Amino acid sequence: MSGRALLLSLALIVAAQLAPSPALAQRGELCSSIREQLLFFDSPEQMQQKRALSGDYLFGSSGTIGCLVEMLREPGIATTSSEIDLIQGEWLLRITGAMRSILTTRGWSAIKDFRAVDDPSTTAVLAFAARSADAGLRVNATLVLADVIDDSTACVPIDHLYDTSQISTPQGASGRINLIGVVSVVAPWAYRPTFENIERLVAKLDADLADQQDVKQTMEVLANLKARLDFQKKSQKAPNRLSELPFNQRDCMTYEPLWAGAELRY
């Protein structure tokens, strides 16, 4: 083979390696289509149009939920505060609404698909949304979190519940109730580090609520969390609270808490 032919051959090999695979290209097209259905970028007026995913996506493949989770990481959508602007809030409302619909229509298979691609950073976006001023967004985000939360992401709502600033507003108090409810989902089957983190959180919340007024609903949700912890304590079958985290549920081990500090331990 001549030198020129060899160079051409190598160039073709490199080009083939750099080109997206058919599967990746197909996924990119899927995510672009979903984004176009849910989001507009041209004008504020367009943002007021209520958008939803078509039935094909709601009952479709696992790729749909993966695209929606990826959208939570995008600049302009991802949030690091419960103070969410109008356009960002509208995007999050649509994304979480689509997630909620898919989780409802596809059930356990959608939950598994979600958990396969989520992480503490995307869970944090949902946690901030569950504490936001928009009641619809709070409901959507809370229901999504309650469906998909597990040991690999439970550190996020636990950490958020150490933020004492959240109770200074009505929506903050509502957000606290929401996140206590989310943590309670994990309690009956939490592994040792998560279980112990929840126990420390319960002690902290007990102390906080002792000095606060008008917290009847919060106390009721906290009582449910305690009951779910007790359920695992009384279990006669090798409860998870005596076992270390499985290898595939250790994402929280590298999570850096914003409020909990040393109280969140792995």
Side-chain angles (χ1 to χ4, degrees), residues 195-209:
F195 192 91
E196 292 176 355
N197 280 318
I198 296 175
E199 286 190 308
R200 283 189 288 274
L201 172 66
V202 166
K204 185 260 186 193
L205 291 172
D206 271 336
D208 289 349
L209 293 171

Side-chain angles (χ1 to χ4, degrees), residues 191-264:
Y191 287 88
R192 185 192 60 75
T194 307
F195 192 91
E196 292 176 355
N197 280 318
I198 296 175
E199 286 190 308
R200 283 189 288 274
L201 172 66
V202 166
K204 185 260 186 193
L205 291 172
D206 271 336
D208 289 349
L209 293 171
D211 300 324
Q212 295 173 15
Q213 303 296 319
D214 302 320
V215 290
K216 179 181 177 182
Q217 187 178 2
T218 308
M219 294 290 288
E220 290 172 352
V221 178
L222 181 58
N224 179 61
L225 172 55
K226 293 176 182 177
R228 293 172 72 85
L229 286 173
D230 287 342
F231 175 83
Q232 191 175 167
K233 288 179 181 177
K234 296 173 183 176
S235 174
Q236 301 300 311
K237 302 178 180 177
N240 286 352
R241 68 184 179 86
L242 301 179
S243 301
E244 295 301 317
L245 289 166
F247 181 77
N248 63 344
Q249 294 200 41
R250 297 182 178 179
D251 289 356
C252 279
M253 294 177 71
T254 57
Y255 175 76
E256 295 185 7
L258 299 174
W259 301 280
E263 293 300 305
L264 195 62

Side-chain angles (χ1 to χ4, degrees), residues 59-82:
F59 293 93
S61 68
S62 61
T64 303
I65 202 80
C67 292
L68 293 170
V69 172
E70 286 181 8
M71 289 169 70
L72 292 180
R73 302 186 178 104
E74 294 181 3
I77 296 177
T79 179
T80 57
S81 169
S82 57

Side-chain angles (χ1 to χ4, degrees), residues 69-100:
V69 172
E70 286 181 8
M71 289 169 70
L72 292 180
R73 302 186 178 104
E74 294 181 3
I77 296 177
T79 179
T80 57
S81 169
S82 57
E83 298 295 324
I84 299 173
D85 64 44
L86 177 64
I87 292 180
Q88 185 183 45
E90 181 65 31
W91 287 342
L92 284 169
L93 184 65
R94 296 176 186 181
I95 294 168
T96 54
M99 287 175 167
R100 181 179 168 186

